[in-house]
Structure formats: structure tokens, C-alpha cells
């Protein structure tokens, strides 16, 4: 994978370092420049590599567009609850489009790996319910938005698991680990905001978030569907 797109990997490493430096040094101007470049570089990579020919790639692309909106809104969320809620809504839409993309792969052969699907549902449900009830006493008026967000990101994680045996191994693993990093990033963000401040939380959140989006995008680029049955519009 790294040998196929060296120009992009170098560019993304550059953006990755710039963004972490901006967070570490609280450099507002550098953050305003580097943060949008995270998703913009991924949008260019996805569109150039896949030409957005199929519904899967178009849905991932649309998800990234909403992620870009979420990134911009969250840059101004400190001390402004409306921007935070707007960013949350944008990332909610991002996850919904990722879910719709992953669903296409699941529908190509829904009869496969039923045991794995049951394990994924059980693990994601336990994790989501436990984390929500852990956060709930500190959420105040954010109880409903956070509950909906946790439900959606858990579904995204489950649908990433459901791609097993339906796509090539490299795409499955890239997107699965991307989803895991997304859950990790959002978990740190929620804990830091609602429970207790974490030392250098911004670095942890942004590093795991950038890795998540990178892995999901590369998983989309590397995707090969193994069971090409007709898929109904969804």
C-alpha cells in the first residue's frame, strides 16, 4: 500500500505533523491552516484514486465532506456549545454515510460470517451502553445528543466488522482499524469534555482521529468486492 501512493503518504505525514505541532503549541493560526488539510488531502486522494465510480466510494467521499465541516466547526467550539453541537451533528452525518457505504459490502453476501456478526453486535452493544451510562451523570442537557452519537458510531463500528469475508483482506483490516481509532478518538474527546481533563488530550484526539480517517480512506481505495451480487438501492 505504501509503495502505491508515495506522494500522498508524504503529504499526509506532513499535514499530520503540522496539526500535532499546532495542538501541542496552541498555535491557532497553524491549526486553522493544517486542520482542514487533513480531510482535504483525503478527499483528493480518494477522488483521484477511485474516480468515485461506485456508490461505495461516493458515500465515503460524502462522509469525508461532513467530517471536514465537523473539523471546522469544532475549531471554534471552545466556549461555544452551538459550535460543539454543530460539529457533533456533522460527524454524526459522516458516520451515517460510512455506515451506508459499509452496508453495501454487507449486502453483497449477507449470509456470510453470521457468527462474527453476532460477536460484533454483542461487543459493540456492551461497549456503547457501558460508556454511555458512565458518561450520563455528567452530560446534563447533552444526554440525548451524546446517546444518539454513541449509537451511530457503534453502528459504524459494527458495519465495519460486517465487511469481513465480503471484501479483500487489506481493505477490511484498514477500515476496521480505522473505525477502532475513530471510537478511541471520540471516547477520549467525550471523557475529556464531560468527565475529567486529560493531559495533552488534544494531541491524543487529533492523532487518533487523523489515523482513523487515513485508514478508512485507504481501505476504500484498496477495496475489492469479493461477492458481486446485485445490491439494491439503499
Amino acid at each position: 500500500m505504501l509503495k502505491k501512493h508515495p506522494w500522498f503518504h508524504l503529504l499526509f505525514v506532513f499535514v499530520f505533523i503540522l496539526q500535532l505541532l499546532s495542538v501541542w503549541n496552541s498555535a491557532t493560526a497553524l491549526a486553522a491552516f493544517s486542520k482542514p488539510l487533513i480531510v482535504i488531502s483525503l478527499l483528493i486522494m480518494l477522488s483521484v484514486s477511485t474516480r468515485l465510480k461506485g456508490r461505495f466510494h461516493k458515500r465515503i467521499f460524502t462522509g469525508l465532506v461532513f467530517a471536514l465541516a465537523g473539523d471546522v466547526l469544532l475549531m471554534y467550539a471552545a466556549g461555544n456549545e452551538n459550535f460543539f453541537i454543530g460539529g457533533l451533528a456533522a460527524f454524526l452525518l459522516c458516520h451515517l454515510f460510512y455506515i451506508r457505504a459499509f452496508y453495501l459490502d454487507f449486502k453483497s453476501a449477507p449470509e456470510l460470517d453470521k457468527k462474527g456478526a453476532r460477536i460484533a453486535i454483542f461487543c459493540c452493544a456492551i461497549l456503547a451502553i457501558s460508556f454511555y451510562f458512565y458518561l450520563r451523570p455528567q452530560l446534563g442537557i447533552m444526554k440525548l445528543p451524546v446517546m444518539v452519537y454513541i449509537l451511530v458510531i457503534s453502528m459504524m463500528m459494527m458495519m465495519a466488522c460486517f465487511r469481513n469475508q465480503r471484501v479483500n483482506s487489506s481493505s477490511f483490516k484498514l477500515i476496521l482499524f480505522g473505525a477502532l481509532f475513530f471510537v478511541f478518538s471520540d471516547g477520549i474527546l467525550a471523557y475529556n469534555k464531560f468527565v475529567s481533563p486529560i493531559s495533552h488530550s488534544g494531541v491524543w484526539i487529533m492523532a487518533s482521529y487523523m489515523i482513523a480517517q487515513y485508514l478508512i480512506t485507504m481501505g476504500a481505495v484498496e477495496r475489492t468486492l469479493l461477492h458481486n451480487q446485485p445490491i439494491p438501492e439503499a
Side-chain angles (χ1 to χ4, degrees), residues 145-163:
V146 171
M147 181 179 69
V148 172
Y149 190 89
I150 290 175
L151 173 64
V152 171
I153 197 170
S154 299
M155 289 177 62
M156 191 269 287
M157 184 74 238
M158 282 191 287
M159 292 309 301
C161 295
F162 290 174
R163 300 175 71 245

Side-chain angles (χ1 to χ4, degrees), residues 173-183 211-213 215-216:
K173 291 177 182 177
L174 285 166
I175 285 179
L176 178 63
F177 282 104
L180 283 169
F181 272 101
F182 230 133
V183 170
I211 293 170
Q213 293 286 36
L215 291 175
I216 289 172

Side-chain angles (χ1 to χ4, degrees), residues 55 104 107-110 225 227-233:
R55 285 181 291 159
L104 291 174
K107 285 297 291 181
S108 68
L225 193 62
H227 301 274
N228 197 17
Q229 297 179 7
I231 302 173
E233 290 288 342

Side-chain angles (χ1 to χ4, degrees), residues 73-105:
L73 287 168
L74 290 180
M75 278 196 295
Y76 303 100
N80 191 319
E81 202 70 18
N82 290 331
F83 278 105
F84 179 78
I85 293 173
L88 197 71
F91 276 106
L92 187 73
L93 291 168
C94 167
H95 293 315
L96 287 173
F97 274 95
Y98 286 173
I99 289 168
R100 294 186 70 214
F102 303 159
Y103 175 78
L104 291 174
D105 290 345

Side-chain angles (χ1 to χ4, degrees), residues 20-228:
L20 292 188
L21 284 173
S22 72
V23 174
W24 184 269
N25 296 304
S26 300
T28 306
L30 182 58
F33 169 75
S34 62
K35 194 171 186 181
L37 287 179
I38 300 165
V39 175
I40 290 172
S41 63
L42 295 171
L43 286 168
I44 294 171
M45 175 62 183
L46 183 65
S47 59
V48 169
S49 299
T50 69
R51 300 187 183 278
L52 305 181
K53 289 182 179 179
R55 285 181 291 159
F56 180 92
H57 296 114
K58 289 175 183 175
R59 291 177 185 184
I60 296 293
F61 185 90
T62 306
L64 285 169
V65 170
F66 281 112
L68 177 59
D71 282 343
V72 173
L73 287 168
L74 290 180
M75 278 196 295
Y76 303 100
N80 191 319
E81 202 70 18
N82 290 331
F83 278 105
F84 179 78
I85 293 173
L88 197 71
F91 276 106
L92 187 73
L93 291 168
C94 167
H95 293 315
L96 287 173
F97 274 95
Y98 286 173
I99 289 168
R100 294 186 70 214
F102 303 159
Y103 175 78
L104 291 174
D105 290 345
F106 168 73
K107 285 297 291 181
S108 68
E111 73 283 355
L112 292 178
D113 195 26
K114 291 183 178 180
K115 181 180 179 181
R118 287 193 291 269
I119 293 172
I121 292 170
F122 176 78
C123 292
C124 291
I126 292 296
L127 179 63
I129 293 169
S130 301
F131 190 59
Y132 174 72
F133 279 101
Y134 177 75
L135 293 177
R136 194 174 187 275
Q138 288 81 32
L139 294 178
I141 62 171
M142 293 295 292
K143 286 186 177 69
L144 181 59
V146 171
M147 181 179 69
V148 172
Y149 190 89
I150 290 175
L151 173 64
V152 171
I153 197 170
S154 299
M155 289 177 62
M156 191 269 287
M157 184 74 238
M158 282 191 287
M159 292 309 301
C161 295
F162 290 174
R163 300 175 71 245
N164 188 35
Q165 299 182 16
R166 297 165 177 90
V167 296
N168 56 312
S169 177
S170 61
S171 176
F172 170 72
K173 291 177 182 177
L174 285 166
I175 285 179
L176 178 63
F177 282 104
L180 283 169
F181 272 101
F182 230 133
V183 170
F184 179 73
S185 178
D186 285 345
I188 297 175
L189 189 153
Y191 185 92
N192 183 72
K193 181 172 179 63
F194 297 114
V195 180
S196 177
I198 300 172
S199 180
H200 305 303
S201 60
V203 173
W204 288 105
I205 292 166
M206 287 310 304
S208 53
Y209 167 71
M210 288 187 284
I211 293 170
Q213 293 286 36
Y214 168 82
L215 291 175
I216 289 172
T217 302
M218 294 311 300
V221 169
E222 296 292 318
R223 170 184 177 264
T224 300
L225 193 62
L226 301 181
H227 301 274
N228 197 17

